[in-house]
Coordinates of all heavy atoms in Angstrom, one line a residue:
M41 N 24.3 -13.4 -9.4 CA 23.3 -12.4 -9.1 C 22.9 -11.8 -10.4 O 23.7 -11.5 -11.3 CB 23.8 -11.3 -8.1 CG 22.7 -10.4 -7.9 SD 22.9 -9.0 -6.7 CE 24.4 -9.2 -5.8
S42 N 21.6 -11.5 -10.6 CA 21.1 -10.8 -11.7 C 21.6 -9.4 -11.8 O 21.8 -8.7 -10.8 CB 19.6 -10.8 -11.7 OG 19.0 -10.0 -12.6
L43 N 21.7 -8.9 -13.0 CA 22.1 -7.5 -13.2 C 21.0 -6.5 -12.7 O 21.3 -5.4 -12.4 CB 22.3 -7.2 -14.7 CG 23.5 -7.9 -15.3 CD1 23.6 -7.6 -16.8 CD2 24.8 -7.4 -14.7
F44 N 19.8 -7.0 -12.6 CA 18.7 -6.2 -12.1 C 18.3 -6.5 -10.7 O 17.3 -6.1 -10.2 CB 17.5 -6.5 -13.0 CG 17.8 -6.2 -14.5 CD1 18.0 -7.3 -15.4 CD2 17.9 -4.9 -14.9 CE1 18.3 -7.0 -16.7 CE2 18.2 -4.7 -16.3 CZ 18.4 -5.7 -17.1
G45 N 19.1 -7.2 -9.9 CA 18.9 -7.4 -8.5 C 18.4 -8.8 -8.3 O 18.4 -9.7 -9.2
P46 N 18.0 -9.1 -7.1 CA 17.5 -10.5 -6.7 C 16.3 -10.9 -7.6 O 15.4 -10.1 -7.9 CB 17.1 -10.3 -5.3 CG 17.9 -9.1 -4.8 CD 18.0 -8.2 -5.9
V47 N 16.3 -12.2 -7.9 CA 15.1 -12.7 -8.7 C 14.4 -13.8 -7.8 O 15.1 -14.7 -7.3 CB 15.7 -13.3 -10.0 CG1 14.5 -14.0 -10.8 CG2 16.4 -12.3 -10.8
P48 N 13.1 -13.6 -7.7 CA 12.4 -14.6 -6.9 C 12.4 -16.0 -7.5 O 12.5 -16.1 -8.7 CB 10.9 -14.1 -6.9 CG 11.0 -12.7 -7.4 CD 12.3 -12.6 -8.2
D49 N 12.3 -17.0 -6.7 CA 12.2 -18.4 -7.2 C 10.9 -18.5 -8.0 O 9.9 -17.8 -7.7 CB 12.0 -19.4 -6.0 CG 13.3 -19.5 -5.2 OD1 14.4 -19.1 -5.7 OD2 13.3 -20.2 -4.1
A50 N 10.9 -19.3 -9.0 CA 9.7 -19.5 -9.8 C 8.6 -20.3 -9.0 O 9.0 -21.0 -8.1 CB 10.0 -20.4 -11.1
V51 N 7.4 -20.0 -9.2 CA 6.3 -20.7 -8.5 C 5.5 -21.6 -9.4 O 5.4 -21.4 -10.6 CB 5.4 -19.6 -7.8 CG1 6.1 -18.8 -6.8 CG2 4.7 -18.7 -8.9
D52 N 4.9 -22.6 -8.7 CA 4.1 -23.6 -9.5 C 2.6 -23.3 -9.3 O 2.1 -22.3 -9.9 CB 4.4 -25.0 -9.0 CG 3.9 -26.1 -9.8 OD1 3.4 -25.8 -10.9 OD2 4.1 -27.3 -9.5
E53 N 1.9 -24.0 -8.4 CA 0.5 -23.7 -8.2 C 0.3 -22.5 -7.4 O 1.1 -22.3 -6.4 CB -0.1 -24.9 -7.5 CG -0.1 -26.2 -8.3 CD -0.9 -27.3 -7.5 OE1 -1.9 -27.0 -7.0 OE2 -0.3 -28.4 -7.5
L54 N -0.6 -21.7 -7.7 CA -0.9 -20.4 -7.0 C -1.9 -20.6 -5.9 O -3.0 -20.1 -5.9 CB -1.4 -19.3 -8.0 CG -0.4 -19.0 -9.1 CD1 -1.0 -17.9 -10.0 CD2 0.9 -18.5 -8.5
V55 N -1.4 -21.4 -4.9 CA -2.2 -21.7 -3.7 C -1.6 -21.0 -2.5 O -0.4 -21.1 -2.3 CB -2.3 -23.2 -3.5 CG1 -3.1 -23.5 -2.2 CG2 -2.9 -23.9 -4.7
C56 N -2.4 -20.4 -1.6 CA -1.9 -19.7 -0.4 C -1.1 -20.7 0.4 O -1.4 -21.8 0.6 CB -3.1 -19.2 0.4 SG -2.7 -18.3 1.9
S57 N 0.0 -20.1 1.0 CA 1.0 -20.9 1.8 C 0.5 -21.0 3.2 O 1.1 -21.8 4.0 CB 2.3 -20.3 1.8 OG 2.9 -20.2 0.4
A58 N -0.5 -20.3 3.6 CA -1.0 -20.4 5.0 C -1.5 -21.8 5.3 O -2.2 -22.4 4.5 CB -2.1 -19.4 5.3
R59 N -1.2 -22.3 6.5 CA -1.6 -23.7 6.9 C -3.1 -23.8 6.8 O -3.8 -23.0 7.3 CB -1.1 -23.9 8.3 CG -1.5 -25.4 8.8 CD -1.0 -25.6 10.1 NE 0.4 -25.4 10.2 CZ 1.1 -25.4 11.4 NH1 0.5 -25.7 12.5 NH2 2.4 -25.2 11.4
G60 N -3.5 -24.8 6.1 CA -5.0 -25.2 6.0 C -5.7 -24.3 5.0 O -6.9 -24.6 4.8
C61 N -5.1 -23.4 4.3 CA -5.7 -22.6 3.3 C -5.5 -23.2 1.9 O -4.4 -23.6 1.6 CB -5.2 -21.1 3.4 SG -6.1 -20.0 2.3
S62 N -6.6 -23.2 1.2 CA -6.4 -23.7 -0.2 C -6.9 -22.7 -1.2 O -7.2 -23.0 -2.4 CB -7.2 -25.0 -0.4 OG -8.6 -24.8 -0.1
R63 N -7.1 -21.4 -0.8 CA -7.5 -20.4 -1.7 C -6.4 -20.0 -2.7 O -5.2 -20.2 -2.4 CB -7.9 -19.2 -0.8 CG -9.2 -19.4 0.0 CD -9.6 -18.3 0.8 NE -9.9 -17.2 -0.1 CZ -10.1 -15.9 0.4 NH1 -10.1 -15.7 1.6 NH2 -10.4 -15.0 -0.5
E64 N -6.9 -19.4 -3.8 CA -5.9 -18.9 -4.8 C -5.1 -17.8 -4.2 O -5.7 -16.8 -3.6 CB -6.7 -18.5 -6.0 CG -5.7 -18.1 -7.1 CD -6.5 -17.8 -8.4 OE1 -7.7 -18.0 -8.5 OE2 -5.8 -17.3 -9.4
A65 N -3.8 -17.8 -4.5 CA -2.9 -16.7 -4.0 C -3.0 -15.5 -4.9 O -3.2 -15.6 -6.1 CB -1.5 -17.2 -4.0
A66 N -3.0 -14.4 -4.3 CA -3.0 -13.1 -5.0 C -1.6 -12.4 -4.9 O -1.3 -11.4 -5.6 CB -4.1 -12.2 -4.5
W67 N -0.8 -12.8 -3.9 CA 0.4 -12.1 -3.5 C 1.6 -13.1 -3.4 O 1.4 -14.2 -2.9 CB 0.2 -11.4 -2.2 CG -0.9 -10.4 -2.2 CD1 -2.2 -10.6 -1.8 CD2 -0.9 -9.1 -2.8 NE1 -3.0 -9.5 -2.0 CE2 -2.2 -8.6 -2.7 CE3 0.0 -8.4 -3.5 CZ2 -2.6 -7.3 -3.2 CZ3 -0.3 -7.1 -3.9 CH2 -1.6 -6.6 -3.8
G68 N 2.7 -12.6 -3.7 CA 4.0 -13.3 -3.5 C 4.8 -12.5 -2.4 O 5.0 -11.3 -2.6
L69 N 5.1 -13.2 -1.4 CA 5.9 -12.7 -0.3 C 7.3 -13.1 -0.5 O 7.6 -14.3 -0.4 CB 5.4 -13.1 1.1 CG 4.1 -12.5 1.6 CD1 3.0 -12.6 0.6 CD2 3.8 -13.0 2.9
L70 N 8.2 -12.2 -0.8 CA 9.6 -12.5 -1.2 C 10.4 -12.4 0.1 O 10.4 -11.4 0.8 CB 10.1 -11.6 -2.2 CG 9.2 -11.4 -3.5 CD1 9.9 -10.5 -4.5 CD2 8.9 -12.7 -4.1
W71 N 11.2 -13.5 0.4 CA 11.9 -13.5 1.7 C 13.2 -14.2 1.5 O 13.5 -14.8 0.5 CB 11.1 -14.1 2.8 CG 10.7 -15.6 2.6 CD1 9.7 -16.1 1.8 CD2 11.4 -16.7 3.1 NE1 9.7 -17.4 1.9 CE2 10.7 -17.8 2.7 CE3 12.5 -16.8 4.0 CZ2 11.1 -19.1 3.1 CZ3 12.9 -18.1 4.4 CH2 12.2 -19.2 3.9
N72 N 14.1 -14.0 2.5 CA 15.4 -14.5 2.5 C 15.9 -14.7 4.0 O 15.8 -13.8 4.7 CB 16.4 -13.6 1.8 CG 17.8 -14.0 1.8 OD1 18.4 -14.0 2.9 ND2 18.3 -14.4 0.7
N73 N 16.3 -15.9 4.3 CA 16.9 -16.2 5.6 C 18.4 -16.1 5.4 O 19.0 -17.0 4.8 CB 16.5 -17.5 6.1 CG 17.1 -17.9 7.5 OD1 18.1 -17.3 7.9 ND2 16.5 -18.8 8.2
P74 N 19.1 -15.0 5.9 CA 20.5 -14.9 5.6 C 21.4 -16.0 6.2 O 22.5 -16.1 5.7 CB 20.8 -13.5 6.2 CG 19.7 -13.2 7.2 CD 18.5 -14.0 6.7
K75 N 20.9 -16.7 7.1 CA 21.7 -17.9 7.7 C 21.7 -19.1 6.8 O 22.5 -19.9 6.9 CB 21.1 -18.3 9.1 CG 21.4 -17.2 10.1 CD 20.9 -17.7 11.5 CE 21.1 -16.6 12.5 NZ 20.7 -17.1 13.8
L76 N 20.7 -19.1 5.8 CA 20.5 -20.3 5.0 C 20.7 -19.9 3.5 O 21.1 -20.8 2.7 CB 19.1 -20.9 5.1 CG 18.8 -21.4 6.5 CD1 17.3 -21.8 6.5 CD2 19.7 -22.5 7.0
H77 N 20.4 -18.7 3.1 CA 20.4 -18.4 1.6 C 21.4 -17.3 1.3 O 21.7 -16.4 2.1 CB 19.0 -17.8 1.3 CG 17.9 -18.8 1.7 ND1 16.9 -18.4 2.6 CD2 17.6 -20.0 1.4 CE1 16.1 -19.4 2.8 NE2 16.5 -20.4 2.0
T78 N 21.9 -17.3 0.0 CA 22.8 -16.3 -0.4 C 22.0 -15.0 -0.5 O 20.7 -15.0 -0.6 CB 23.3 -16.6 -1.8 OG1 22.2 -16.8 -2.7 CG2 24.2 -17.9 -1.8
P79 N 22.6 -13.8 -0.4 CA 21.9 -12.5 -0.4 C 21.0 -12.3 -1.5 O 19.9 -11.6 -1.4 CB 23.0 -11.5 -0.3 CG 24.2 -12.2 0.2 CD 24.1 -13.6 -0.3
E80 N 21.3 -12.8 -2.7 CA 20.4 -12.5 -3.9 C 19.3 -13.5 -4.0 O 18.4 -13.3 -4.8 CB 21.3 -12.6 -5.2 CG 21.8 -13.9 -5.5 CD 23.2 -14.2 -4.9 OE1 23.7 -13.4 -4.1 OE2 23.7 -15.3 -5.1
R81 N 19.2 -14.5 -3.2 CA 18.1 -15.5 -3.2 C 16.8 -14.9 -2.7 O 16.8 -14.2 -1.7 CB 18.5 -16.8 -2.4 CG 17.4 -17.8 -2.4 CD 17.6 -18.8 -3.5 NE 16.5 -19.8 -3.6 CZ 16.5 -21.0 -3.0 NH1 17.5 -21.4 -2.3 NH2 15.5 -21.8 -3.2
R82 N 15.7 -15.2 -3.4 CA 14.4 -14.8 -2.9 C 13.5 -16.0 -2.9 O 13.0 -16.4 -4.0 CB 13.8 -13.6 -3.7 CG 14.5 -12.3 -3.6 CD 14.4 -11.8 -2.1 NE 15.1 -10.5 -2.0 CZ 16.4 -10.4 -1.6 NH1 17.1 -11.4 -1.3 NH2 16.9 -9.2 -1.4
K83 N 13.2 -16.5 -1.8 CA 12.2 -17.6 -1.6 C 10.8 -16.9 -1.7 O 10.7 -15.7 -1.5 CB 12.3 -18.2 -0.3 CG 13.7 -18.9 0.0 CD 13.8 -20.2 -0.7 CE 12.9 -21.2 0.0 NZ 12.9 -22.5 -0.7
V84 N 9.8 -17.7 -2.0 CA 8.5 -17.1 -2.2 C 7.5 -17.9 -1.4 O 7.4 -19.1 -1.5 CB 8.0 -17.1 -3.7 CG1 6.6 -16.5 -3.9 CG2 9.0 -16.4 -4.6
W85 N 6.7 -17.2 -0.6 CA 5.5 -17.7 0.0 C 4.4 -17.0 -0.7 O 4.5 -15.9 -1.1 CB 5.4 -17.3 1.5 CG 6.1 -18.3 2.4 CD1 6.9 -19.3 2.1 CD2 6.2 -18.1 3.8 NE1 7.4 -19.9 3.2 CE2 7.0 -19.2 4.3 CE3 5.6 -17.3 4.7 CZ2 7.2 -19.4 5.7 CZ3 5.8 -17.4 6.1 CH2 6.6 -18.5 6.5
L86 N 3.3 -17.8 -1.0 CA 2.1 -17.2 -1.7 C 1.1 -16.9 -0.6 O 0.9 -17.7 0.4 CB 1.6 -18.2 -2.7 CG 2.6 -18.5 -3.8 CD1 2.1 -19.7 -4.7 CD2 2.9 -17.3 -4.7
A87 N 0.3 -15.9 -0.9 CA -0.7 -15.5 0.1 C -2.0 -15.1 -0.6 O -2.0 -14.3 -1.6 CB -0.2 -14.4 1.0
C88 N -3.2 -15.5 -0.1 CA -4.4 -15.0 -0.5 C -4.6 -13.6 0.2 O -3.8 -13.2 1.1 CB -5.6 -15.9 -0.1 SG -5.8 -16.2 1.6
D89 N -5.6 -12.9 -0.1 CA -5.9 -11.6 0.5 C -6.0 -11.7 2.0 O -5.6 -10.8 2.7 CB -7.1 -10.9 -0.1 CG -6.8 -10.4 -1.5 OD1 -5.7 -10.0 -1.8 OD2 -7.8 -10.3 -2.4
D90 N -6.7 -12.8 2.5 CA -7.0 -12.9 3.9 C -5.7 -13.2 4.7 O -5.6 -12.9 5.9 CB -8.0 -14.0 4.2 CG -9.4 -13.7 3.7 OD1 -9.6 -12.5 3.5 OD2 -10.2 -14.6 3.6
H91 N -4.7 -13.8 4.1 CA -3.5 -14.2 4.9 C -2.3 -13.4 4.6 O -1.2 -13.6 5.2 CB -3.2 -15.7 4.6 CG -4.2 -16.6 5.2 ND1 -5.1 -17.4 4.5 CD2 -4.5 -16.8 6.5 CE1 -5.8 -18.1 5.3 NE2 -5.5 -17.7 6.5
R92 N -2.4 -12.4 3.7 CA -1.2 -11.6 3.3 C -0.6 -10.9 4.5 O 0.6 -11.0 4.7 CB -1.6 -10.6 2.3 CG -0.5 -9.6 1.9 CD -1.0 -8.5 1.0 NE 0.1 -7.5 0.9 CZ 0.0 -6.4 0.2 NH1 -1.2 -6.1 -0.4 NH2 1.0 -5.6 0.1
E93 N -1.4 -10.3 5.3 CA -0.9 -9.5 6.5 C -0.2 -10.4 7.5 O 0.9 -10.2 8.0 CB -2.0 -8.7 7.1 CG -1.5 -7.7 8.2 CD -0.5 -6.7 7.7 OE1 -0.6 -6.3 6.5 OE2 0.3 -6.2 8.4
H94 N -0.9 -11.5 7.8 CA -0.4 -12.5 8.8 C 1.0 -13.1 8.4 O 1.9 -13.1 9.2 CB -1.4 -13.6 9.1 CG -0.9 -14.7 9.9 ND1 -0.7 -14.6 11.3 CD2 -0.4 -15.9 9.6 CE1 -0.2 -15.7 11.8 NE2 0.0 -16.5 10.8
L95 N 1.0 -13.6 7.2 CA 2.3 -14.2 6.7 C 3.4 -13.1 6.6 O 4.5 -13.4 6.9 CB 2.0 -14.9 5.3 CG 1.1 -16.1 5.4 CD1 0.9 -16.7 4.0 CD2 1.8 -17.2 6.3
S96 N 3.0 -11.9 6.1 CA 4.0 -10.8 6.0 C 4.6 -10.5 7.4 O 5.8 -10.3 7.5 CB 3.4 -9.6 5.4 OG 3.0 -9.8 4.1
Q97 N 3.7 -10.4 8.4 CA 4.2 -10.1 9.8 C 5.1 -11.2 10.3 O 6.1 -10.9 11.0 CB 3.0 -9.9 10.7 CG 2.3 -8.6 10.5 CD 1.1 -8.4 11.4 OE1 0.7 -9.3 12.1 NE2 0.5 -7.2 11.3
F98 N 4.7 -12.5 10.0 CA 5.5 -13.6 10.5 C 7.0 -13.5 9.9 O 8.0 -13.7 10.7 CB 4.9 -14.9 10.0 CG 5.7 -16.1 10.4 CD1 5.4 -16.8 11.6 CD2 6.6 -16.7 9.6 CE1 6.1 -17.9 12.0 CE2 7.4 -17.8 10.0 CZ 7.1 -18.4 11.2
L99 N 7.1 -13.2 8.6 CA 8.4 -13.1 8.0 C 9.1 -11.8 8.5 O 10.3 -11.8 8.7 CB 8.3 -13.1 6.5 CG 7.9 -14.4 5.9 CD1 7.5 -14.2 4.4 CD2 8.9 -15.5 6.1
D100 N 8.4 -10.7 8.6 CA 9.0 -9.4 8.9 C 9.6 -9.4 10.3 O 10.7 -8.8 10.5 CB 8.0 -8.3 8.7 CG 8.6 -6.9 8.7 OD1 9.7 -6.8 8.1 OD2 8.0 -6.0 9.3
V101 N 8.9 -9.9 11.3 CA 9.4 -9.9 12.7 C 10.7 -10.7 12.8 O 11.5 -10.4 13.7 CB 8.3 -10.5 13.6 CG1 8.2 -12.0 13.6 CG2 8.6 -10.0 15.0
R102 N 11.0 -11.6 11.9 CA 12.2 -12.3 11.9 C 13.3 -11.7 11.0 O 14.4 -12.1 10.9 CB 12.0 -13.8 11.4 CG 11.2 -14.6 12.4 CD 10.5 -15.7 11.8 NE 9.8 -16.5 12.8 CZ 8.6 -16.2 13.4 NH1 8.0 -15.1 13.0 NH2 8.1 -16.9 14.3
G103 N 12.9 -10.6 10.3 CA 13.8 -9.9 9.5 C 14.0 -10.5 8.1 O 15.0 -10.2 7.4
F104 N 13.1 -11.4 7.7 CA 13.2 -12.2 6.5 C 12.5 -11.5 5.3 O 12.9 -11.7 4.1 CB 12.7 -13.6 6.6 CG 13.4 -14.5 7.6 CD1 12.8 -15.6 8.0 CD2 14.6 -14.1 8.1 CE1 13.5 -16.5 8.9 CE2 15.3 -14.9 9.0 CZ 14.7 -16.1 9.4
L105 N 11.4 -10.8 5.5 CA 10.6 -10.2 4.5 C 11.4 -9.2 3.7 O 11.9 -8.2 4.2 CB 9.3 -9.6 5.0 CG 8.3 -9.1 4.0 CD1 7.8 -10.3 3.1 CD2 7.1 -8.4 4.6
K106 N 11.4 -9.3 2.3 CA 12.1 -8.4 1.5 C 11.1 -7.6 0.6 O 11.4 -6.4 0.3 CB 13.1 -9.1 0.6 CG 14.1 -9.9 1.3 CD 15.0 -9.0 2.2 CE 16.1 -9.8 2.9 NZ 16.8 -9.1 3.9
D107 N 10.0 -8.2 0.2 CA 9.1 -7.5 -0.7 C 7.8 -8.3 -0.8 O 7.8 -9.5 -0.5 CB 9.7 -7.3 -2.1 CG 9.1 -6.2 -2.9 OD1 8.2 -5.5 -2.4 OD2 9.5 -6.0 -4.0
V108 N 6.7 -7.6 -1.2 CA 5.4 -8.2 -1.4 C 5.0 -7.8 -2.8 O 5.0 -6.6 -3.1 CB 4.4 -7.8 -0.4 CG1 3.0 -8.4 -0.7 CG2 4.8 -8.2 1.0
V109 N 4.7 -8.7 -3.7 CA 4.4 -8.4 -5.1 C 3.1 -9.2 -5.5 O 2.8 -10.2 -5.0 CB 5.5 -8.7 -6.1 CG1 6.8 -7.9 -5.7 CG2 5.8 -10.2 -6.1
P110 N 2.4 -8.6 -6.5 CA 1.3 -9.4 -7.0 C 1.8 -10.7 -7.7 O 2.9 -10.7 -8.3 CB 0.6 -8.5 -8.1 CG 1.2 -7.1 -7.8 CD 2.5 -7.3 -7.1
V111 N 1.0 -11.8 -7.6 CA 1.5 -13.0 -8.2 C 1.7 -12.9 -9.7 O 2.5 -13.6 -10.3 CB 0.5 -14.2 -8.0 CG1 0.5 -14.6 -6.5 CG2 -0.9 -14.0 -8.5
S112 N 1.0 -11.9 -10.4 CA 1.2 -11.7 -11.8 C 2.7 -11.3 -12.1 O 3.1 -11.4 -13.2 CB 0.3 -10.7 -12.4 OG 0.4 -9.5 -11.7
D113 N 3.4 -10.8 -11.1 CA 4.8 -10.4 -11.3 C 5.8 -11.5 -11.1 O 7.0 -11.4 -11.4 CB 5.2 -9.3 -10.3 CG 4.5 -8.0 -10.6 OD1 3.8 -7.8 -11.6 OD2 4.7 -7.0 -9.7
L114 N 5.3 -12.7 -10.7 CA 6.2 -13.8 -10.4 C 6.4 -14.7 -11.7 O 5.4 -14.9 -12.4 CB 5.6 -14.7 -9.3 CG 5.5 -14.0 -7.9 CD1 4.8 -14.9 -6.9 CD2 6.9 -13.6 -7.4
E115 N 7.6 -15.3 -11.8 CA 7.8 -16.2 -12.8 C 7.2 -17.6 -12.5 O 7.2 -18.0 -11.3 CB 9.3 -16.4 -13.0 CG 9.7 -17.4 -14.1 CD 11.2 -17.6 -14.3 OE1 11.9 -16.7 -13.8 OE2 11.6 -18.6 -14.8
R116 N 6.6 -18.2 -13.4 CA 5.9 -19.5 -13.2 C 6.8 -20.7 -13.6 O 7.6 -20.5 -14.6 CB 4.6 -19.6 -14.0 CG 3.6 -18.6 -13.7 CD 3.0 -18.7 -12.3 NE 2.4 -20.0 -12.1 CZ 1.1 -20.3 -12.4 NH1 0.3 -19.4 -12.9 NH2 0.6 -21.5 -12.1
V117 N 6.8 -21.8 -12.9 CA 7.5 -23.0 -13.3 C 7.0 -23.5 -14.7 O 5.8 -23.5 -14.9 CB 7.3 -24.1 -12.2 CG1 7.9 -25.4 -12.7 CG2 7.9 -23.6 -10.9
A118 N 7.9 -23.8 -15.5 CA 7.5 -24.3 -16.9 C 6.8 -25.6 -16.8 O 7.2 -26.5 -16.0 CB 8.7 -24.4 -17.8
A119 N 5.7 -25.8 -17.5 CA 5.0 -27.1 -17.5 C 5.9 -28.2 -18.2 O 6.6 -27.9 -19.1 CB 3.7 -26.9 -18.3
P120 N 5.8 -29.4 -17.7 CA 6.6 -30.5 -18.3 C 6.3 -30.8 -19.7 O 5.2 -30.6 -20.2 CB 6.4 -31.7 -17.3 CG 5.2 -31.3 -16.5 CD 5.0 -29.9 -16.6

């Protein structure tokens, strides 16, 4: 675990995670499924402005949503 708390997974392409959406993501939805992930793990779904609320509610109703941050706050995958 980081000294500063959980660290989100790095992201690659900034494309909304909503099914069928190909818009540029503006938000990172940080989540964790405690049955599958260690407590400090933060998986990331990306969301455009139109899908932020829907995806957040989907994760929150399951108790998975931990935080919502601008994509500019997320670490990017290093280019090969």
Side-chain angles (χ1 to χ4, degrees):
M41 182 176 351
S42 166
L43 294 176
F44 303 104
V47 176
D49 291 350
V51 295
D52 193 5
E53 294 184 45
L54 298 179
V55 177
C56 182
S57 298
R59 183 180 302 173
C61 186
S62 59
R63 293 182 58 189
E64 184 174 351
W67 303 98
L69 285 56
L70 311 184
W71 63 279
N72 175 290
N73 180 341
K75 291 183 180 180
L76 301 176
H77 308 119
T78 58
E80 66 275 1
R81 179 89 187 266
R82 291 296 179 267
K83 300 282 289 176
V84 179
W85 277 2
L86 298 171
C88 65
D89 286 328
D90 289 344
H91 291 113
R92 175 185 173 183
E93 188 64 27
H94 172 74
L95 293 174
S96 293
Q97 287 178 355
F98 180 90
L99 292 168
D100 195 40
V101 75
R102 290 158 178 79
F104 296 167
L105 186 64
K106 301 299 181 187
D107 203 0
V108 177
V109 299
V111 292
S112 59
D113 289 357
L114 299 172
E115 181 180 338
R116 300 290 304 271
V117 173

